[in-house]
Amino acid sequence: LRGVKDDDVSIDLVLTQNPDVVNYMKTSPNESDFNYDPKRAYQNLSDLFVPFLLTDYRPNTTIPLITPAWISNSANLVRSGNNGLFNLNNVDIVFTKDKSKWSRCVVVETSSPNYYDRNALNAATEGGALNFELRKHVSVGKEDANNDGLPDGDGDGLGMGWFPGYAIDVETGKRLNIFFGENSSYDDNSLAANYLPESVGLGRDMMWKPSSQFGLTQRSAFSWQTYCYAGGQHYIYVTSQEYDACATLRTQFAQSSPFAKLPAFKAITWAAMPMLAAGTKMLSYKEGLIPNDATVKLRVNNPYQVATASGKNGGHPTYKFEIKSKAAQTLDAVGIDNQLDMMNVVPNPYYARSDYEINQFQTTVKITNLPAKATVTIYSMDGKYIRDFKRDEVPEVNPVETNQGIRTKQMLPDLQWDLKNHKGIPVASGAYLIHVEAPGLGERTLKLMVINREFDPSRL
C-alpha cells in the first residue's frame, strides 16, 4: 500500500507534466492555506494520510487537480470557528482480510465536477451522482455467492458497503466510523481502452480495491485530471464519530442542503489517496481483499482532555473502590511463626554501595519487615558487639488537640543501618550477624556480608 503524496514531483512532472495536478494541499509558501501548516508538519506526517481539513476543496476548471476533499464552495464552512486541526485524533487504522472485523460504511462518489461537468470528457458518474454524494449503486454485503468477483447486493438501498478493516481512537479506545469512495466516471466505455488489466471495473464495483495504475495509457484526448486515474481514486476517510455502521453519516450525506451536510464533513479527521505498490495486487472479494494485514498509526500531540467538562468530577474519570473482609486480625500460632520469616536485610551482600544512598558519603542497608516492637543487635562473626537498636513502632493515640491532623503515628516497616558501630566508626568488610528479638513473637538471626568500597579522599 502506498499513497499519492501531495506535491509528489515524480508524479507531477514525469506523468502529468503539470506541477499542480497532484497539489491537493495548499500549504506551501504563498499558497492559500499556508498559515494552517506553516512548517508543513501535517503535509509531511504521512505518505498516505493527511488531515482532511487541509485538503483543497476549491473548484478549479483551469487546473483540474485531484483531491480527496469535498469540492464545493460550501466546504469553506467546514473550517469555520477554528482551523479544526485541534480536533485531530490519534488513530490506528487496521486493514484485514478477517471479514468479521470489517466496518459497515457509506461509499461516496469521488468523481469531481471536472469530470461530469465537461461534456467533452463524456465521463458521467453512475446514476448522475455528484461529488461526495452516496454512490448510486445498490448496497453490498460481504459475500460473493455468485463467484463473479463482485460483492452481492444485500437489499439495503443504495450507497452502503464494507471497508476491509476498522479504525480505533487510541486515546478513548472507541471504534470509529471509517468509509471510502470510488470514482464511478472511470467505468465509462469511452475510457475503457485506457485501463490496465488490474484496473478494469474498479470504478463501479463498491469494493475498496485500488490498483497500482496512476495514469491512463492514453492521454492526448483527455484533460490532466482524467489522466490521473490514481488507482481508481478509492479515497479513505477516518472520522471522530463512534462507530455506528455509518448510520449517522448515511443520513447526513443524504441531505440536499450543504448546510445539513456540514456535521458529516466536520466529523472527518483524516483522508488518504491510496494506491497499491507496483507489482502487487489485492485478493478476491471472497478471499477478503487484503493480502497481508497491516496497521497504520497516526499520532499528533494532544493536550489531556475529558469527554465533557460538566457533570460529576468535571468530566474526569471517577472510580469507587470497596474492600470487604480485609480487616486486620490477631495473629494465630502459624502467623506468629511466619512473622519473623518475612524479615530480611537488603542489599545482601552489600557490595560497596546501595540504592538507598544518595551521595558518596553514605553507606546504608535496611533491615525490613520488622515487627512493631523489637530489639535488633548486630555482632561480628566472632561474637563481638557492634551496635543495637531499640525499636518501638507500636501505634499510639496522641492526646486530642484542637485541629490535630494526625491522631496516630505511622509505623515504619524497616530500619536503616549506616554500617557504623556504636561509636560511629565504620565497620570493616566481613560477615555480620543481626539478631532480632521480638516480644511475643520470638527471635531470629540474619547474616549480612559487607564489602566496603575503596577509600575515597574526596570525602575528606
Side-chain angles (χ1 to χ4, degrees), residues 5-276:
K5 185 173 173 55
D6 180 53
D7 281 348
D8 191 324
V9 176
S10 64
I11 291 177
D12 281 339
L13 300 182
V14 175
L15 296 177
T16 71
Q17 301 176 8
N18 187 322
D20 286 313
V21 172
V22 191
N23 180 16
Y24 57 88
M25 295 174 67
K26 302 300 184 183
T27 53
S28 296
N30 302 319
E31 289 188 322
S32 54
D33 293 332
F34 172 73
N35 289 335
Y36 286 104
D37 190 19
K39 296 183 179 180
R40 312 199 78 181
Y42 291 109
Q43 187 207 41
N44 297 316
L45 176 68
S46 165
D47 289 341
L48 186 60
F49 283 89
V50 297
F52 178 71
L53 267 286
L54 291 185
T55 56
D56 189 14
Y57 59 88
R58 304 165 183 87
N60 191 330
T61 57
T62 304
I63 304 175
L65 71 152
I66 58 172
T67 175
W70 173 32
I71 304 176
S72 169
N73 285 322
S74 299
N76 67 330
L77 298 174
V78 179
R79 300 183 182 182
S80 62
N82 57 63
N83 66 14
L85 296 176
F86 296 112
N87 297 322
L88 281 175
N89 44 3
N90 289 290
V91 296
D92 282 358
I93 303 152
V94 179
F95 299 81
T96 177
K97 69 178 70 174
D98 184 349
K99 293 183 179 181
S100 68
K101 299 177 181 178
W102 284 14
S103 299
R104 182 67 165 169
C105 67
V106 295
V107 184
V108 298
E109 178 63 65
T110 59
S111 182
S112 76
N114 292 302
Y115 289 80
Y116 47 74
D117 281 350
R118 290 186 174 187
N119 295 329
L121 295 180
N122 191 24
T125 62
E126 183 176 15
L130 303 180
N131 176 250
F132 243 109
E133 289 185 343
L134 296 182
R135 285 273 288 105
K136 294 189 177 179
H137 188 289
V138 295
S139 298
V140 299
K142 299 180 183 179
E143 305 305 326
D144 175 18
N146 300 324
N147 292 318
D148 59 358
L150 300 174
D152 300 331
D154 62 4
D156 185 18
L158 302 177
M160 298 296 290
W162 291 89
F163 179 79
Y166 56 92
I168 298 293
D169 187 313
V170 297
E171 294 182 76
T172 65
K174 294 180 179 180
R175 183 171 179 172
L176 304 172
N177 279 328
I178 183 172
F179 65 97
F180 69 96
E182 57 182 2
N183 188 339
S184 65
S185 296
Y186 282 119
D187 204 56
D188 191 276
N189 291 332
S190 65
L191 304 177
N194 291 274
Y195 301 137
L196 298 176
E198 63 267 24
S199 300
V200 175
L202 296 187
R204 298 187 180 182
D205 58 12
M206 298 294 283
M207 290 187 288
W208 186 79
K209 194 178 181 181
S211 72
S212 61
Q213 181 179 1
F214 179 82
L216 299 183
T217 55
Q218 300 176 11
R219 67 184 181 195
S220 58
F222 308 104
S223 75
W224 289 117
Q225 179 164 352
T226 307
Y227 171 73
C228 296
Y229 179 70
Q233 298 179 19
H234 286 62
Y235 305 150
I236 304 173
Y237 301 94
V238 182
T239 75
S240 57
Q241 289 180 343
E242 188 171 354
Y243 180 71
D244 65 353
C246 278
T248 303
L249 287 173
R250 185 181 194 180
T251 300
Q252 292 169 338
F253 282 136
Q255 302 299 314
S256 57
S257 167
F259 294 97
K261 293 176 183 284
L262 281 179
F265 289 104
K266 287 190 174 184
I268 303 173
T269 52
W270 299 96
M273 299 178 64
M275 290 177 55
L276 295 188

